[in-house]
Amino acid sequence: MGLAAPESTAAQSMQQERRERHISTQRTPTVPLEQHASHDPGYGWVLFAAVLLMLLGTVNLIEGLAAVGNSHFFVRDAHYILGSLNAWGWVAIVIGTSRFVTGFAVLVKNQPARWVGVGLLSVNTVVQLLLLPADPFWSVAIIALDILAIFALIVHGEVLAEAR
């Protein structure tokens, strides 16, 4: 009985090895690379822009709520060209909500949403310029991300048109 165990273990391992070879030689159905959505490197940029729109929309919403609530992390006694911190807070809330919804629409490959996204990103760039006295570093960082998302939507956005 002591000798039968090693032989059965060896036989089992040989059967397992044959099964693995058989499985590895079977062909699995594949999608041709040309039909796959991520074949075009521009698709990644559009996906990046959609996620960035949603993320920046959330950030704008938080920034707007902080401005409306007179949060303490904004520069005190800043002088604005137009309006007040409270007014720009409401503008940031509206733009942030719109950007989040537009980012989701771009994510589901809605072509008109691409151009709405470019418009919202452009408007937010101007709003951040006007909010520059409240928090200079933050505004410059948001402007840079807005420009990057505009680039992605304009240069690589034709992927959405081709996907339909």
Side-chain angles (χ1 to χ4, degrees), residues 108-124:
V108 296
K109 299 180 182 176
N110 186 332
Q111 181 65 17
R114 169 186 166 207
W115 295 109
V116 171
V118 169
L120 286 171
L121 288 162
S122 301
V123 167
N124 190 61

Side-chain angles (χ1 to χ4, degrees), residues 15-158:
Q15 285 177 344
Q16 179 67 25
E17 186 177 299
R18 274 191 239 129
R19 273 190 234 122
E20 289 174 1
R21 264 191 266 139
H22 178 70
I23 290 172
S24 67
T25 58
Q26 291 179 344
R27 298 197 48 89
T28 57
T30 58
V31 177
L33 189 58
E34 295 79 26
Q35 292 179 1
H36 197 271
S38 65
H39 171 66
D40 185 7
Y43 181 75
W45 275 100
V46 173
L47 184 63
F48 171 74
V51 171
L52 196 57
L53 263 169
M54 293 171 67
L55 177 68
L56 291 175
T58 304
V59 168
N60 265 108
L61 182 63
I62 293 168
E63 178 185 31
L65 290 172
V68 168
N70 294 322
S71 180
H72 296 290
F73 67 83
F74 290 110
V75 174
R76 290 281 171 213
D77 300 324
H79 298 285
Y80 302 96
I81 296 173
L82 295 170
S84 65
L85 183 61
N86 194 317
W88 287 116
W90 283 109
V91 171
I93 289 172
V94 170
I95 290 175
T97 306
S98 302
R99 283 168 58 151
F100 186 86
V101 171
T102 303
F104 183 75
V106 170
L107 198 60
V108 296
K109 299 180 182 176
N110 186 332
Q111 181 65 17
R114 169 186 166 207
W115 295 109
V116 171
V118 169
L120 286 171
L121 288 162
S122 301
V123 167
N124 190 61
T125 301
V126 173
V127 168
Q128 291 299 324
L129 280 173
L130 294 171
L131 273 171
L132 205 58
D135 196 355
F137 178 75
W138 182 257
S139 292
V140 170
I142 297 297
I143 290 169
L145 291 172
D146 283 346
I147 291 171
L148 187 62
I150 290 170
F151 167 80
L153 288 174
I154 290 177
V155 174
H156 300 288
E158 74 275 357

